[in-house]
Amino acid sequence: MLLSKEEVLHVANLARLSVEPSELEEMAGTLSRVLEYIDLLNELDTESVSPTSQVVEQHTVWRSDVIQDSLSAELATQNGPQVVSAMFVVPKILDGGGQ
Amino acid sequence: MAGLDWDAVEMARRVQSGEVSALELVDASLERIAAVDSNIGAFLYVDDVGARQSARRLDSELTRDQKKSLPLAGVPVAIKDNLVTRQMPTTAASKMLQGFMSPYDATVVERLLAAGAIPVGKVNLDEFAMGSSTEHSAYQVTRNPWDISRVPGGSSGGSAAAVAAGMVPLALGSDTGGSIRTPASYCGVFGMKPTYGRVSRYGLIAFASSLDQVGPFSRTVRDAALLLHVISGRDPHDATSVDVSSTAPTVVVADPTQMRIGLPEEYFGDGIDPNVRTQVDAALETLKGLGATLVPISLPHTRYAIATYYLIANAEASSNLSRYDGVRYGFRETAPDLIQMYSRTRSQGFGDEVQRRILLGTHALSAGYYDAYYLKAQKVRTLIRRDFDQAFESVDLIVTPTVPDLPFKFGERALDPLQMYLTDIFTVTTNLAGLPGLSQPIGLADGLPVGLQWIAPALEEERILGMASALEAVLPVPSWPMQGGLSR
């Protein structure tokens, strides 16, 4: 398999996803099959090819530095699961909370 | 029901002239939804109160001249639920965004409203637009109006099914690798992915930012042209929107005798359902009969497109979806500390397919793999673009089947992600190259719709619409789907 169970755990940690131990085998298998398919790209010699990151031939887009209307703090935070005075509340990150 | 046989152009004309009221059209649309959508499942949210209110306002507060200035006066529309709306919830068909109310409207929604259109609701999709069948919605199944045991395609399956079943004449969808054109083909309607940058992405919930585009669904070419006209054009809120004027509001029918149409051999090989092949061949004969010149061409890097697409799309998705952390949006799973809160929230809030894609994308971007996967894919993307550049030196348009097969049954591809990914084999290339593509319904095979895909050089949407219109004029008028209580 192109992706071991340990690697799946590593990637899941990077992505802040928790994979159940019971799902690990299947996830590694599924992702490995997709990666095996993707291996097709190695048929191509791309040594001298430049990458395409976006297709619009555009350079920096400028605008004038003028203050415009924006959302109020109340509106901008209205969808937070826990909000106090237009501020997001999160579990404690210090004192052992953030390891 | 009065009015639902008309296309949007006809509806708007009658509202402008006072022959019919916006409220009558909206009522007809809402009644049709109430009558058939329990069988189809296109709508995640129906805003009957808001839609009737907007219709009444349009009818009573605007003068005839004001109505005439609204190209979509009184036309009921459906909006894919990954476009944010202030008046209706937006979920992206994910548990993660259950109950989310956007504090602003997407630019395309603002433009719809400014054109006099009346949104009647939000329609289903694969969660965060990741899928080709709409089976990956966290909320409900959407059925193909032509055969309710089959998928409508995806990810904009709700948009396509709502238009195909006559609930609305127009819908907005989004297309990252075929998410407008695949369901348009499977449901027998028109669906266009515009040139990258033609339509603002502001307020489109981001999947893969270098590939995503918003586009129209309709039952006529002229409706697709009109809706594209309304939503296209530069938007200061989206720096990648191109600085060119919007497309024309009406179709200028093209002269087929002046058109050289390329048929890429890679899109006509093995693996195409013979039923699809027969319909596509018949459409090609029709085009030849109209005087078009058909030219065999080659797009040699086609076979690398799916692999390239899944690396780029998922890498971008893994970055875009990092914002769903249980802090700023609806869903949160409680945990003793912040890191565990993040990972529990994301594992509970995202569906399996979304998590698979985030993992794949994260892997492709991670230290030690970036060059082998992400950078490699970006380089192959260059080769795929060059294929098209070279082809368009000798042809005006390219034509292919939209999808290699007919709509499949529920569950048929759900177990094998790779097989599902291959559904998009003919559509992902235009996203990678940033080109416009349209799926045009060309007939039925075994009672199921077949679509023809038109591809043009960047910003040449009008060339596609002109030729699609020439073909539409000579194809038999399509029948309506009759299953699931849909007969009228």
Side-chain angles (χ1 to χ4, degrees):
Chain A
M1 287 207 291
L2 278 172
L3 209 60
S4 67
K5 289 194 270 186
E6 291 68 34
E7 282 173 304
V8 173
L9 279 176
H10 168 66
V11 174
N13 181 48
L14 290 176
R16 297 287 184 256
L17 290 170
S18 56
V19 181
E20 295 295 320
S22 60
E23 297 166 354
L24 209 50
E25 181 91 41
E26 196 194 327
M27 187 62 90
T30 306
L31 292 177
S32 291
R33 276 198 301 284
V34 176
L35 290 173
E36 276 159 30
Y37 175 76
I38 282 169
D39 204 42
L40 189 69
L41 299 186
N42 290 321
E43 288 178 14
L44 293 169
D45 178 6
T46 51
E47 193 58 40
S48 59
V49 180
S50 55
T52 294
S53 56
Q54 57 103 16
V55 289
V56 179
E57 304 293 336
Q58 245 176 11
H59 302 286
T60 307
V61 179
W62 298 95
R63 64 166 174 81
S64 28
D65 186 17
V66 179
I67 295 174
Q68 292 167 345
D69 289 343
S70 58
L71 297 177
S72 67
E74 284 72 22
L75 269 178
T77 54
Q78 70 184 5
N79 285 288
Q82 207 185 339
V83 176
V84 172
S85 307
M87 290 181 286
F88 298 118
V89 179
V90 296
K92 143 167 124 166
I93 56 170
L94 297 173
D95 196 17
Q99 51 213 280
Chain B
M1 257 173 275
L4 291 178
D5 278 335
W6 302 327
D7 69 355
V9 169
E10 182 67 16
M11 285 186 184
R13 189 189 66 74
R14 290 188 191 235
V15 170
Q16 288 161 355
S17 69
E19 284 168 60
V20 69
S21 69
L23 185 61
E24 285 173 277
L25 292 179
V26 165
D27 276 340
S29 169
L30 292 170
E31 282 164 34
R32 178 101 179 131
I33 293 167
V36 304
D37 203 40
S38 53
N39 280 321
I40 301 300
F43 281 84
L44 289 172
Y45 184 85
V46 179
D47 184 19
D48 39 5
V49 173
R52 287 199 171 99
Q53 215 167 38
S54 305
R56 277 196 203 96
R57 205 176 309 130
L58 192 145
D59 288 331
S60 63
E61 290 176 15
L62 298 189
T63 64
R64 184 166 292 193
D65 279 347
Q66 282 171 321
K67 285 178 197 165
K68 282 203 166 123
S69 71
L70 302 176
L72 293 175
V75 177
V77 296
I79 297 171
K80 187 176 181 180
D81 205 24
N82 62 350
L83 289 161
V84 301
T85 45
R86 277 194 306 137
Q87 304 298 333
M88 299 181 274
T90 303
T91 67
S94 180
K95 186 179 168 189
M96 189 63 95
L97 283 174
Q98 193 156 29
F100 175 74
M101 287 300 292
S102 171
Y104 68 98
D105 279 326
T107 297
V108 289
V109 172
E110 271 184 359
R111 288 182 179 176
L112 272 184
L113 297 173
I118 308 212
V120 292
K122 305 292 289 283
V123 280
N124 202 17
L125 62 152
D126 288 294
E127 184 178 359
F128 286 106
M130 297 177 180
S132 312
S133 67
T134 314
E135 289 170 290
H136 295 306
S137 166
Y139 297 107
Q140 68 193 34
V141 164
T142 298
R143 297 185 175 82
N144 192 314
W146 294 90
D147 178 347
I148 58 172
S149 70
R150 292 173 192 272
V151 302
S155 66
S156 311
S159 308
V163 172
M167 295 187 249
V168 283
L170 294 177
L172 286 180
S174 67
D175 190 314
T176 306
S179 279
I180 289 175
R181 290 157 291 156
T182 296
S185 177
Y186 278 4
C187 291
V189 296
F190 290 90
M192 183 173 235
K193 181 201 92 74
T195 306
Y196 184 82
R198 176 66 99 172
V199 178
S200 167
R201 292 180 294 111
Y202 184 68
L204 168 66
I205 293 177
F207 164 11
S209 307
S210 80
L211 304 166
D212 297 340
Q213 268 291 288
V214 180
F217 283 91
S218 65
R219 290 194 301 270
T220 60
V221 175
R222 63 181 191 170
D223 272 10
L226 181 59
L227 182 51
L228 181 63
H229 163 74
V230 165
I231 60 174
S232 66
R234 166 104 182 110
D235 173 18
H237 286 122
D238 176 0
T240 62
S241 64
V242 290
D243 199 5
V244 293
S245 59
S246 132
T247 55
T250 53
V251 181
V252 180
V253 182
D255 177 1
T257 63
Q258 299 301 309
M259 287 290 165
R260 289 173 62 82
I261 298 173
L263 308 177
E265 57 174 318
E266 294 80 5
Y267 291 66
F268 288 89
D270 300 336
I272 299 181
D273 184 309
N275 285 311
V276 172
R277 187 66 204 246
T278 305
Q279 287 294 324
V280 170
D281 284 346
L284 294 178
E285 278 307 309
T286 306
L287 286 171
K288 221 191 286 179
L290 291 170
T293 308
L294 305 185
V295 188
I297 58 167
S298 175
L299 299 167
H301 295 94
T302 301
R303 67 186 296 248
Y304 305 103
I306 289 282
T308 305
Y309 170 78
Y310 275 93
L311 285 171
I312 291 174
N314 293 340
E316 292 184 15
S318 73
S319 169
N320 277 323
L321 270 61
S322 66
R323 74 190 68 182
Y324 304 105
D325 55 4
V327 174
R328 291 159 290 169
Y329 304 94
F331 182 75
R332 174 189 286 186
E333 190 77 6
T334 51
D337 68 56
L338 190 65
I339 303 290
Q340 283 189 60
M341 189 278 282
Y342 289 154
S343 52
R344 281 191 200 170
T345 294
R346 289 165 61 79
S347 297
Q348 297 298 312
F350 291 135
D352 289 347
E353 177 62 16
V354 172
Q355 294 192 46
R356 264 198 292 275
R357 294 193 189 210
I358 291 173
L359 288 173
L360 190 79
T362 305
H363 181 59
L365 289 175
S366 65
Y369 293 98
Y370 181 91
D371 285 3
Y373 288 128
Y374 188 60
L375 188 64
K376 181 79 182 182
Q378 287 189 315
K379 289 179 166 191
V380 181
R381 185 174 184 181
T382 303
L383 298 175
I384 290 167
R385 288 180 75 190
R386 276 188 205 157
D387 281 358
F388 281 103
D389 288 346
Q390 276 159 16
F392 283 125
E393 282 172 17
S394 62
V395 296
D396 302 297
L397 289 164
I398 292 171
V399 152
T400 78
T402 307
V403 196
D405 51 17
L406 296 169
F408 50 92
K409 298 211 164 188
F410 289 98
E412 237 174 54
R413 293 186 192 169
L415 293 176
D416 184 356
L418 194 55
Q419 207 195 352
M420 184 75 88
Y421 301 167
L422 291 170
T423 309
D424 297 332
I425 192 151
F426 295 159
T427 50
V428 294
T429 46
T430 55
N431 298 81
L432 291 167
L435 305 177
L438 171 86
S439 181
Q440 172 165 20
I442 52 171
L444 301 177
D446 281 347
L448 297 168
V450 176
L452 186 78
Q453 176 175 235
W454 295 92
I455 304 169
L459 300 175
E460 296 291 348
E461 283 87 346
E462 287 160 20
R463 192 184 297 170
I464 292 181
L465 293 164
M467 270 309 289
S469 180
L471 180 59
E472 179 189 41
V474 296
L475 288 178
V477 177
S479 55
W480 283 71
M482 302 293 279
Q483 278 219 350
L486 293 178
S487 56
R488 298 154 351 111

